Amino acid sequence: MSAVVENHDHHDDHHHGPKKGIMRWLKTTNHKDIGTLYLWFAFAAFLLGGAFAMGIRAELFEPGLQLMDPIRYNQLVTMHGLIMIFGGVMPAFVGLANWLIPLQIGAPDMAMPRMNNLSFWLLPVAFAILLSTAFMEGGLPGFGWTFYAPLSTNYPNVAYFVFAIHIMGASSIMGSINVIVTIMNMRAPGMTLMKMPLFVWSWLITAYLLIAVMPVLAGAVTMLLMDAYFGTSFFDAAGGGDPVLFQHVFWFFGHPEVYIMILPAFGITSHIISTFSRKPLFGHSSMVYAMVSIAVLSFVVWAHHMFTVGMPLVAELFFMWATMLIAIPTGVKVFNWCATIFKGSITYETPMLFAIAFVVLFTIGGFSGLMLAITPADFQYHDTYFVVAHFHYVLVPGSVFSIMAAVYYWLPKWTGNMYDEKMGKLHFWLSFIGVNITFFPQHFVGLAGMPRRYADYALQFAEWNAVSSVGAFLFGLSQLLFLYIVVKTVFAGKKATPQVWDGADGLEWTVDSPAPYHTFDVPPKVK
Amino acid sequence: MKNKLWALILYPLSFFMSADWLDINMPVGVTDISREVFGLHMTIFFVVVAIGVVVFGVLFWSMWKYRRSNNKKPATFTENHTVEILWTIVPTLILIAMAVPASITLKKIYDHEAEEGGIDIQVVGWQWKWQYKYLDEQVGNKPLSFFSNLTTPPDQYEFNRVEKNENYLLEVDEPVVIPVDTPVRFLITSNDVIHSWYMSDFAVKQDAIPGFINVAKTKVNVPGIYRGNCTELCGERHAYMPIVVKAVTQEEYQEWLQSKRDLAEQIAYLTEKEWTSDELLATGEEIYETRCAACHQTNGAGIAGFYPALAGSDVVMNDKAKQIEILMEGIRGSQMQSFAEQLNEVEMASVITFTRLAWGNEKSGDGEIVIPKDIVDYKETNL
Amino acid sequence: MNTETTSHQKYYVPESSSIPIVFAVAMLFFGVGAADAVMGKGTTLLFIGIVTVIGTLAYWWSVVIRESHAGLDTPQLNTSYVYGMAWFIFSEVMFFAAFFGALFYIRTFSISWLGGEGPTAKGLAGDLLWPDFEATWPPMITPEESLMGEQAITKGPDENMYLQSIGSLGTWLPLYNTVVLLTSSGTVHFAHMALKDNNRKRFNFWLGITVLLAFIFVILQALEYYEAYAHLGLTISSGVYGTTFFMLTGFHGMHVLIGGIFLATQLTRSAGYNHFSDKEHFGFEAASWYWHFVDVVWVCLFLFVYIL
Ligand code: HEA
Ligand code: HEA
Ligand code: CUA
Ligand SMILES: [Cu+2]
């Protein structure tokens, strides 16, 4: 026992800085360090996934195979989807959760700091396993991020893919348990549930979704593994199974997953819009109820991804109606944001620009989502670029813009330095224009019938694809600007005040900028 | 100056007014259902555009009106129950208004019963081609069946050496032929992985699930040639298995059926004929290029990790019987499919002969050729 | 929820630690090793992975226990562990839900459709593709077998695990297993009561019985599997029946094993090191929750895999 106490001889004195060198990052238990690790990991993944997207867009610039054979193309698409979702957006939100939740609820750290560190380090491990297949015969997975059986059960190297997903899932589950426990157990006295900041609320709900669906994904990949290597017949009609069963299991995970990628964005947007309108958020509690409704509904709409698999009519109708319902709570959120802006005193710094672009472009993505929900019409839209346009609108100027907004908004709190506002605005406008040029024309080619996951396409789609590719390169290059701005701010810049933004409200703005290594050792009192 | 200005305005407008602009929208199609779906699509589209105009209108107006320089003192309200109830109820009503017609159309699409005078065509997805079986038309003792392969040559898509055809990637050797104004049921399934049979002009998209049947019923009103695609990722040549439907009048349809029957007789005659290795080689190379090269590659080298090389393969060089068996039965649990239905006896013999002689296999192996008779014999002993 | 705490106790935030990163590296070996093993590329890495994973975990928990004994934990930290365990069990519930969902789907939909039942479109599968397949549960003949007979690769089992006749009730292993597990749920509860009464001896006794029952269960199940493979022609590749049977009972069995080891650890802690008091015994409580969870899963299994 005494040995332990010796090991932990500092435990009474938390007000020392971090360790030096690489060991700080490998061994850290500090939520801010871990948040930083997650965010950089996500950024790296975004660049890698983005580079893959550039490969896709370059190949699609004109009809014909120019740069790669179709196997390589499918691998790029698959890895692009997987990396962006599991390596980019999700870890970025977890990084923000790590940085912000303890600060916003007045907790000294996350509830289980060592497990927190493990959650992070499992991610590089999982991606190392996934990417290692690049160096094997048969190469990277090429069956789409949705890995439908039986295409995937007969694919080379799926075992590596399966175990990589298992480890990612374990990471997510542990991360979410940490988030939930932190929020439920470590709020400062006086911080009742309904007083909780919306970002915290959004993550509470997200974490719940994650714990509920990641194990289902684990189940799906396990069944896949068994079918591929152990002769089971879950997805094989010859033995009495059904390939469509795979899709049900996958989308039971998959649909909540897309809300996992948007709920934290809702939280972030609520903070930023209120701050820069200098006006309290309109309908704080209805925002909470809306998110809860979205989360609950997200469990009963999964088969809208499978309208064309030939489900019985009742199922089609049920899933169509349930899906349409989601527009109502989402609408409440959009209207609340507009009402927050209404009669505010608004300034347009970079975070606000990204947040407003989020509201507008996410809504456009939501509208196309609603069109997709109309089953007879989805028979035309499904698996065309119309779907690609839909989900990039909700994911890129949706999730990704909200992440960028959050980075600009809290970067001064993290680093103690203000970012360069001019550069920030430039980054915004280039991204805004780029993203629309990239993804808006995809609606057109989609409606005209261009299928997705096509390495090559018919001539009538050529013009808009060329436009889209040009936009993609513009958007992609602009992200280098983002990298530059962030790096520059880490090292230099105008010193930030604790408050940073004059309309900002919340516990995180009561501590210094940069936030000290340890905060809220003694919980603050919340009125 | 003034002219230039007009040109600037008119040029983009002319784009939308020309017939081509429909390329950016869903085709209206040629069936009652497809028109209905198009109407549904336009209705929802205009509804969301209208909502968008209102919401974004309010948003942009407030953004401009309440900018800091114009409004120093922000209001402090945080709730207003009236508007909150309103903006929950109004969208609900709008959604109901959309759900009703959508459900009605869906119910129509889901009428899958066979009709008097209708025809049933079983559609089978294969990596990477479609097979069509006319279940009510017998040729010999089997239903009329044929495969529909892409005809765009690799010179156009892979090497980009030749200018691309008008129907680049949307052209096949044998389109599926259907009569107009007749209910046609496509009974869709697959032989290997999931494919999806997508014909935009009919508003039909149904997944081809191995081991299960999905039904798409359609009744085309306008004769013509319609082109579609496979829309479920089914491996690397997913983009290269187009669908072409030829809708013809009832008389033309009957003529076409007759020509199919005649063809079957001709082939039976051809198997009797004596074949030289040169004749076989010539057809064989062509068949190899369209049916085998997708996987085993033009140079016979295969793709490591996916498809074995045929150049230098022991089976191909030295085991004639085994090779015939592989081609006839496929290799279970792998992508090597059975070609028994895809190739007739002559084609089968020639493609096997080709692989046994090409890429130096002739020198390193036994160099024997396979003649159509061998295939006929195989069929007789194994059926 | 701790909103009421007025006097603040410091929440224990551990110093930076090398355990997680070592564990992550162990997982790298484990993941790559498992994939290698599955694909037939050797088992060395898997072995290293398993050993290091178990070693690190054991060390990690021992550190947590020592910290708790050093008085570093507060009621608030304990609450974190309680919530953490509860949510972990919830995630396990969802994992099993995926497999039960698969079972229900196969039984209600895919088997009937393959057998030609269901709405027009769906029933056609049976008519056109599998004309001789009949929808029964459990399917003793797979669709493929109905089509190709002896040449089929995926064949149904010779016998299934359902109770064949009332007479064979006495030799029906699942019944024994059910009795064993239900009893063990009771004994673990008695152990808990004993601990609350501060009766160490009684606690050790009942906990010991529970651990014993856990291992009896595992042995019985191993026996059942042996029977299935050796005499009933029922294997994991006997069509969907074999698939669902072995996957569901297999994962459950694995959880029994883990739960048994979990409980055995608590027994060692109590009997060997005198850990736990009538108030503080979360390690044991967590193990018993887990045990009850495993028990509930079994009841569902018994119902849906062996009886209905
Ligand atoms: C962040 C991720 C995200 C989000 C938030 C959404 C949101 C929605 N999605 Fe999307 N979706 C994806 C990510 C996302 N989706 C992805 C990745 C895929 C493809 C996966 C793949 O196949 O690879 C997909 C695919 C997808 C499909 C399947 C298409 C197909 O493959 O055929 C459908 C079908 O119903 C759908 C519907 C919806 C709906 C109804 C919403 C709703 O939540 C949207 C609600 C929002 C609004 C409606 C706008 C705001 C509301 C108002 C202003 C109120 C008033 C409005 C009305 C009354 C109309 N999505
Ligand atoms: C959060 C998720 C996310 C994000 C952010 C993105 C971002 C982008 N995506 Fe995609 N995408 C998906 C999720 C996402 N995507 C998913 C799930 C699929 C479906 C996969 C499947 O079908 O299985 C998909 C599929 C998909 C397709 C369809 C492929 C097909 O069906 O054949 C296309 C095609 O245009 C595309 C393009 C892009 C582009 C141009 C970006 C851009 O926004 C990316 C911009 C970022 C960068 C470019 C990186 C930063 C810059 C550099 C690294 C510098 C170098 C840059 C240059 C040289 C210009 N994505
Ligand atoms: Cu067949 Cu895609
Ligand atoms: Cu969805």
Side-chain angles (χ1 to χ4, degrees):
Chain A
M1 232 137 284
S2 59
V4 179
V5 177
E6 259 168 40
N7 274 344
H8 295 271
D9 52 354
H10 297 303
H11 79 269
D12 267 329
D13 171 24
H14 267 161
H15 289 279
H16 53 80
K19 282 202 165 53
K20 292 274 174 292
I22 177 89
M23 278 308 167
R24 162 178 178 188
W25 302 104
L26 291 180
K27 294 169 64 173
T28 184
T29 48
N30 180 288
H31 72 102
K32 300 185 183 79
D33 281 356
I34 295 173
T36 307
L37 283 171
Y38 264 114
L39 285 167
W40 278 113
F41 180 85
F43 202 16
F46 174 61
L47 294 185
L48 182 62
F52 285 10
M54 293 303 112
I56 296 174
R57 284 309 336 162
E59 176 56 55
L60 295 181
F61 181 73
E62 57 181 351
L65 296 173
Q66 279 78 28
L67 304 170
M68 57 190 92
D69 61 34
I71 292 189
R72 187 79 61 240
Y73 180 84
N74 288 347
Q75 290 170 335
L76 278 192
V77 172
T78 306
M79 292 310 292
H80 163 68
L82 287 170
I83 291 177
M84 283 300 195
I85 288 176
F86 292 103
V89 172
M90 289 171 69
F93 281 141
V94 182
L96 292 170
N98 259 296
W99 253 104
L100 295 170
I101 289 176
L103 280 179
Q104 291 190 326
I105 63 173
D109 206 298
M110 296 293 275
M112 289 170 249
R114 278 177 297 222
M115 192 169 86
N116 198 14
N117 173 298
L118 176 61
S119 302
F120 171 74
W121 282 106
L122 284 182
L123 272 184
V125 165
F127 275 90
I129 297 177
L130 185 59
L131 289 166
S132 72
T133 54
F135 307 103
M136 298 174 193
E137 198 172 84
L140 291 162
F143 34 62
W145 85 280
T146 50
F147 54 102
Y148 280 7
L151 181 63
S152 53
T153 50
N154 293 316
Y155 212 85
N157 305 329
V158 263
Y160 294 90
F161 167 82
V162 167
F163 288 109
I165 297 285
H166 272 140
I167 294 176
M168 275 175 220
S171 155
S172 286
I173 291 174
M174 285 192 279
S176 321
I177 290 180
N178 230 327
V179 166
I180 294 196
V181 176
T182 307
I183 297 175
M184 297 307 274
N185 191 34
M186 302 196 42
R187 274 170 288 133
M191 169 89 62
T192 58
L193 280 177
M194 279 332 267
K195 273 192 202 158
M196 241 162 45
L198 275 176
F199 179 70
V200 179
W201 254 115
S202 70
W203 247 108
L204 179 63
I205 299 164
T206 304
Y208 165 73
L209 286 181
L210 272 167
I211 299 184
V213 301
M214 285 317 262
V216 176
L217 175 66
V221 288
T222 307
M223 292 179 210
L224 174 71
L225 182 82
M226 298 306 288
D227 265 19
Y229 297 101
F230 296 95
T232 58
S233 20
F234 282 111
F235 313 132
D236 184 3
D242 184 351
V244 173
L245 168 61
F246 173 84
Q247 299 181 26
H248 282 289
V249 183
F250 178 82
W251 287 115
F252 185 85
F253 147 81
H255 186 82
E257 167 70 18
V258 306
Y259 290 125
I260 286 163
M261 292 189 286
I262 205 68
L263 288 174
F266 290 164
I268 292 164
T269 307
S270 302
H271 285 277
I272 294 176
I273 289 200
S274 150
T275 295
F276 293 95
S277 304
R278 293 172 182 72
K279 188 163 157 282
L281 188 74
F282 186 89
H284 184 281
S285 47
S286 65
M287 286 296 209
V288 173
Y289 299 136
M291 285 195 285
V292 173
S293 323
I294 293 173
V296 171
L297 281 172
S298 77
F299 286 106
V300 293
V301 300
W302 75 86
H304 65 213
H305 296 273
M306 309 161 50
F307 281 143
T308 61
V309 301
M311 286 180 294
L313 179 62
V314 268
E316 304 262 322
L317 287 172
F318 170 79
F319 285 109
M320 168 167 72
W321 296 333
T323 304
M324 293 175 75
L325 282 183
I326 296 188
I328 299 167
T330 318
V332 167
K333 299 199 72 80
V334 172
F335 301 140
N336 280 352
W337 288 320
C338 293
T340 307
I341 285 174
F342 182 68
K343 296 209 169 175
S345 171
I346 314 161
T347 50
Y348 296 98
E349 284 86 349
T350 314
M352 182 63 162
L353 290 176
F354 272 105
I356 287 179
F358 169 89
V359 174
V360 175
L361 300 181
F362 165 78
T363 302
I364 292 178
F367 285 157
S368 59
L370 192 77
M371 295 173 72
L372 290 167
I374 309 291
T375 313
D378 185 67
F379 288 168
Q380 291 279 30
Y381 308 138
H382 176 68
D383 266 349
T384 67
Y385 265 74
F386 193 77
V387 178
V388 176
H390 156 65
F391 69 74
H392 281 94
Y393 260 86
V394 283
L395 280 168
V396 184
S399 312
V400 171
F401 268 27
S402 84
I403 291 164
M404 287 172 177
V407 169
Y408 282 112
Y409 184 57
W410 280 293
L411 199 57
K413 178 56 63 191
W414 301 337
T415 63
N417 301 327
M418 287 305 279
Y419 63 88
D420 182 334
E421 189 62 59
K422 268 216 189 82
M423 295 290 266
K425 287 212 166 89
L426 181 66
H427 171 227
F428 168 77
W429 284 111
L430 287 174
S431 301
F432 180 81
I433 294 166
V435 93
N436 283 300
I437 299 180
T438 314
F439 297 114
F440 209 80
Q442 295 187 354
H443 290 113
F444 305 154
V445 287
L447 289 175
M450 175 167 162
R452 60 190 283 210
R453 294 163 169 173
Y454 262 30
D456 195 354
Y457 50 87
L459 299 180
Q460 72 262 37
F461 309 122
E463 285 82 6
W464 289 117
N465 267 296
V467 173
S468 176
S469 291
V470 171
F473 279 91
L474 174 63
F475 181 74
L477 285 176
S478 333
Q479 303 323 312
L480 293 180
L481 196 59
F482 185 42
L483 181 64
Y484 167 77
I485 298 171
V486 172
V487 172
K488 200 176 121 190
T489 315
V490 171
F491 292 107
K494 207 173 98 229
K495 290 281 157 278
T497 60
Q499 170 80 9
V500 184
W501 313 106
D502 54 1
D505 186 26
L507 285 177
E508 76 265 36
W509 308 110
T510 61
V511 303
D512 281 345
S513 298
Y517 198 54
H518 292 285
T519 36
F520 298 127
D521 272 350
V522 178
K525 284 261 180 318
V526 180
K527 299 151 274 112
Chain B
M1 179 64 204
K2 215 172 177 185
N3 274 343
K4 271 191 191 149
L5 211 70
W6 271 116
L8 214 67
I9 297 168
L10 277 182
Y11 177 72
L13 264 185
S14 70
F15 176 80
F16 287 103
M17 280 151 68
S18 67
D20 275 356
W21 92 273
L22 275 178
D23 271 1
I24 68 170
N25 201 355
M26 187 189 282
V28 183
V30 289
T31 66
D32 295 344
I33 291 288
S34 78
R35 289 185 201 102
E36 216 171 303
V37 169
F38 179 80
L40 200 56
H41 157 70
M42 287 317 281
T43 317
I44 0 165
F45 173 68
F46 283 123
V47 170
V48 296
V49 167
I51 299 175
V53 167
V54 173
V55 176
F56 300 150
V58 171
L59 177 67
F60 294 141
W61 175 80
S62 326
M63 281 171 61
W64 175 77
K65 178 85 195 291
Y66 299 110
R67 61 194 189 275
R68 183 84 182 270
S69 52
N70 201 34
N71 185 29
K72 287 270 165 345
K73 269 197 98 70
T76 55
F77 62 86
T78 58
E79 254 167 355
N80 180 329
H81 288 289
T82 325
V83 298
E84 286 182 81
I85 290 171
L86 210 65
W87 71 42
T88 316
I89 293 193
V90 172
T92 312
L93 296 178
I94 298 177
L95 289 174
I96 294 174
M98 288 185 194
V100 171
S103 307
I104 293 172
T105 307
L106 187 61
K107 191 150 179 299
K108 277 189 211 157
I109 297 178
Y110 258 74
D111 164 24
H112 288 151
E113 298 299 331
E115 269 176 61
E116 196 61 34
I119 58 175
D120 280 354
I121 303 176
Q122 187 178 344
V123 181
V124 188
W126 293 67
Q127 280 177 325
W128 291 281
K129 62 210 123 204
W130 295 96
Q131 179 190 16
Y132 299 97
K133 283 191 206 166
Y134 286 66
L135 296 182
D136 322 297
E137 301 300 333
Q138 300 284 317
V139 173
N141 53 359
K142 284 205 264 138
L144 166 60
S145 151
F146 55 87
F147 281 76
S148 191
N149 294 284
L150 174 76
T151 50
T152 306
D155 265 351
Q156 284 184 25
Y157 61 80
E158 195 172 350
F159 309 110
N160 302 299
R161 281 193 288 244
V162 197
E163 206 188 321
K164 297 182 173 27
N165 293 346
E166 186 195 345
N167 290 315
Y168 175 72
L169 297 188
L170 294 173
E171 50 200 357
V172 297
D173 49 3
E174 277 210 70
V176 50
V177 178
I178 57 170
V180 290
D181 298 324
T182 312
V184 179
R185 291 203 306 173
F186 293 103
L187 311 177
I188 301 166
T189 182
S190 163
N191 175 63
D192 33 53
V193 301
I194 302 179
H195 305 262
S196 189
W197 201 82
Y198 172 35
M199 181 51 70
S200 194
D201 285 311
F202 308 168
V204 164
K205 185 180 283 135
Q206 276 296 308
D207 289 1
I209 316 273
F212 293 83
I213 299 268
N214 278 329
V215 178
K217 203 159 95 176
T218 194
K219 191 162 142 192
V220 178
N221 312 132
V222 190
I225 294 178
Y226 305 106
R227 294 168 200 277
N229 304 80
C230 172
T231 47
E232 183 58 63
L233 180 59
C234 52
E236 63 265 28
R237 292 177 66 87
H238 169 49
Y240 299 97
M241 50 182 294
I243 299 161
V244 180
V245 179
K246 211 165 139 190
V248 297
T249 60
Q250 192 67 42
E251 300 84 71
E252 285 171 305
Y253 177 64
Q254 293 304 336
E255 272 167 35
W256 175 79
L257 283 178
Q258 191 52 47
S259 73
K260 278 293 182 194
R261 293 193 193 102
D262 297 346
L263 194 71
E265 272 165 35
Q266 258 176 339
I267 289 165
Y269 159 76
L270 280 178
T271 52
E272 320 271 287
K273 177 180 157 220
E274 290 286 320
W275 288 83
T276 67
S277 76
D278 278 348
E279 280 172 311
L280 288 172
L281 216 65
T283 8
E285 178 160 17
E286 203 188 309
I287 307 262
Y288 183 85
E289 199 49 59
T290 52
R291 309 297 173 87
C292 318
C295 298
H296 296 290
Q297 307 298 303
T298 306
N299 61 6
I303 298 177
F306 290 87
Y307 311 109
L310 298 186
S313 149
D314 192 46
V315 176
V316 178
M317 292 188 306
N318 302 316
D319 198 342
K320 199 162 109 176
K322 176 94 185 146
Q323 199 187 349
I324 295 177
E325 189 193 321
I326 290 179
L327 269 279
M328 292 299 293
E329 312 295 337
I331 298 175
R332 273 292 304 269
S334 88
Q335 283 175 286
M336 182 60 204
Q337 51 198 229
S338 156
F339 282 86
E341 291 183 82
Q342 305 190 39
L343 303 176
N344 62 40
E345 289 79 357
V346 178
E347 292 168 326
M348 184 73 93
S350 20
V351 76
I352 297 178
T353 301
F354 172 75
T355 58
R356 297 179 72 79
L357 304 182
W359 322 299
N361 279 358
E362 181 173 14
K363 291 207 189 64
S364 338
D366 57 21
E368 289 179 29
I369 65 166
V370 172
I371 56 170
K373 183 80 176 38
D374 294 337
I375 310 295
V376 176
D377 289 348
Y378 179 92
K379 282 192 178 165
E380 266 160 20
T381 45
N382 287 280
L383 280 181
Chain C
M1 257 145 274
N2 243 57
T3 43
E4 257 69 277
T5 352
T6 38
S7 71
H8 160 67
Q9 274 179 302
K10 206 162 199 175
Y11 193 87
Y12 170 59
V13 178
E15 276 302 302
S16 62
S17 152
S18 21
I19 303 173
I21 184 75
V22 172
F23 189 68
V25 174
M27 286 300 284
L28 179 63
F29 282 106
F30 184 66
V32 177
D36 277 353
V38 165
M39 296 190 41
K41 296 197 207 161
T43 50
T44 328
L45 274 181
L46 178 60
F47 182 72
I48 299 177
I50 292 178
V51 171
T52 44
V53 162
I54 294 179
T56 332
L57 269 185
Y59 178 71
W60 192 337
W61 279 321
S62 78
V63 169
V64 173
I65 293 169
R66 269 182 281 160
E67 283 168 358
S68 140
H69 284 215
L72 294 173
D73 58 347
T74 54
Q76 200 185 3
L77 183 66
N78 282 331
T79 314
S80 288
Y81 289 147
V82 170
Y83 285 169
M85 188 67 198
W87 284 100
F88 169 66
I89 291 181
F90 175 64
S91 81
E92 291 270 49
V93 170
M94 292 308 292
F95 183 74
F96 275 97
F99 286 91
F100 274 103
L103 174 69
F104 296 147
Y105 181 91
I106 286 170
R107 289 183 60 164
T108 32
F109 299 116
S110 69
I111 288 289
S112 352
W113 293 341
L114 291 166
E117 294 162 15
T120 328
K122 289 292 141 183
L124 277 169
D127 302 346
L128 270 159
L129 303 174
W130 317 102
D132 300 324
F133 179 68
E134 269 175 60
T136 53
W137 186 265
M140 306 302 284
I141 291 177
T142 61
E144 190 189 12
E145 205 179 356
S146 76
L147 200 66
M148 308 174 56
E150 274 313 297
Q151 275 177 314
I153 290 182
T154 322
K155 293 194 203 103
D158 304 333
E159 271 173 65
N160 61 54
M161 281 293 173
Y162 284 76
L163 184 60
Q164 306 297 337
S165 69
I166 292 295
S168 52
L169 199 64
T171 53
W172 196 44
L173 274 179
L175 185 68
Y176 287 92
N177 268 340
T178 310
V179 174
V180 168
L181 263 199
L182 286 181
T183 316
S184 76
S185 234
T187 54
V188 83
H189 182 67
F190 293 150
H192 197 179
M193 308 237 282
L195 187 56
K196 279 192 186 151
D197 288 348
N198 227 342
N199 189 332
R200 170 80 51 181
K201 251 187 146 162
R202 199 147 57 87
F203 172 69
N204 288 349
F205 172 75
W206 285 119
L207 187 54
I209 298 283
T210 315
V211 172
L212 191 69
L213 289 173
F215 289 100
I216 290 180
F217 180 94
V218 174
I219 291 167
L220 285 182
Q221 193 167 14
L223 215 65
E224 186 187 20
Y225 279 16
Y226 170 76
E227 278 295 306
Y229 268 80
H231 304 303
L232 309 183
L234 173 62
T235 71
I236 195 162
S237 37
S238 313
V240 273
Y241 177 62
T243 298
T244 49
F245 175 79
F246 281 103
M247 289 302 282
L248 276 160
T249 57
F251 270 115
H252 175 263
M254 250 162 70
H255 281 75
V256 173
L257 196 64
I258 294 169
I261 294 171
F262 199 175
L263 286 168
T265 315
Q266 310 312 316
L267 181 62
T268 324
R269 284 179 66 191
S270 167
Y273 301 89
N274 233 358
H275 288 181
F276 306 133
S277 69
D278 52 348
K279 298 265 150 40
E280 288 232 349
H281 47 259
F282 179 66
F284 166 72
E285 257 184 313
S288 76
W289 288 349
Y290 195 78
W291 195 246
H292 289 308
F293 152 71
V294 169
D295 207 33
V296 172
V297 173
W298 176 260
V299 173
C300 298
L301 271 182
F302 188 55
L303 265 178
F304 294 114
V305 177
Y306 291 101
I307 297 188
L308 294 178

